[in-house]
Every structure is written in C-alpha cells, then in structure tokens.
Amino acid sequence: MSIKFTPDHEWVLIDGNNATVGITQHAQDALGDVVFVDLPEVGKTYAAKDAAAVVESVKAAADVYMPANGVVTEVNEALRADPALANSDPLGAGWFFKMTLANPAELDGLMDETSYTSFAADAH
C-alpha cells in the first residue's frame, strides 16, 4: 500500500487496483469545522478530476475530486452521520469513499508525502 496526494488536497491510499480517498489535514484546517458531506453514489463510474463528493464547513464548501478514472465501491456512512470525523481524523476514520481504479498508473503523477508537505506549506 502507498499513499499519494493531489494538488486539490485529497489523499489517496492505493492498494493494488483499489484506493481510499479523503481530504488532507491541510484541507480540513483550511475548511474549519465540517458540518455536512455529500458522498458519491456507490457503483457510479467517474472520470479523473470529476467532482465526486462535497464537503461543507462553517466557512466554505469544497468539492472532493476523483483522483483517477474508476468506480466508487463504498462510501463512509460513519462520515455522513458524523461529518466532524473529517476534522478529527481526516487521514483515518474521516475517509470519504473507496474506489476501483480503471488504471492505477494514472496515480503515478500524484505527489508523495514529502512533495505534498512542501506543496501544502507553499499554499499558505
């Protein structure tokens, strides 16, 4: 398993042809208290960079984008019931959705943790 990061502040935990997607610590810091999430439809196919989910906070709303082409296989119902999980555990219990990747190589261009940390620091 490996983790990659998108320029839109999502993390992608890659396990073969499957991936789990959520928002980063930086994203939840910028958003503030998350009050609502709109999760994608299980079984739906999305293209890379499609808006698949929405996260709303007391400050703003933001889209959560598909990191690659694929099919959503599961959504985090616990997050739907308790959106604050996106704040308290963004890289764990606050995940948004799981997907099957059409082509895992599409994720090769994403950032590793070191590159993302530098990118996020520059985004302030």
Side-chain angles (χ1 to χ4, degrees):
M1 292 206 300
S2 63
I3 190 163
K4 298 273 192 162
F5 298 86
T6 74
D8 297 307
H9 305 287
E10 291 114 12
W11 56 266
V12 186
L13 181 64
I14 306 157
D15 184 5
N17 288 340
N18 299 307
T20 304
V21 179
I23 62 171
T24 65
Q25 186 72 38
H26 176 83
Q28 76 83 27
D29 285 346
L31 284 166
D33 293 336
V34 174
V35 295
F36 176 78
V37 294
D38 184 19
L39 299 173
E41 182 182 332
V42 172
K44 185 171 178 185
T45 300
Y46 291 87
K49 301 198 183 331
D50 279 356
V54 177
V55 57
E56 293 183 16
S57 73
V58 293
K59 290 194 224 175
D63 290 328
V64 178
Y65 298 98
M66 289 297 282
N69 296 317
V71 178
V72 173
T73 56
E74 186 179 346
V75 296
N76 187 351
E77 293 297 342
L79 181 64
R80 191 188 315 263
D82 183 9
L85 287 171
N87 294 120
S88 62
D89 193 8
L91 287 118
W95 61 274
F96 276 67
F97 58 89
K98 296 183 179 187
M99 62 181 292
T100 299
L101 300 162
N103 179 5
E106 290 179 22
L107 300 177
D108 290 350
L110 298 183
M111 293 174 269
D112 63 16
E113 191 164 5
T114 302
S115 298
Y116 177 75
T117 300
S118 175
F119 172 83
D122 291 344
H124 283 291

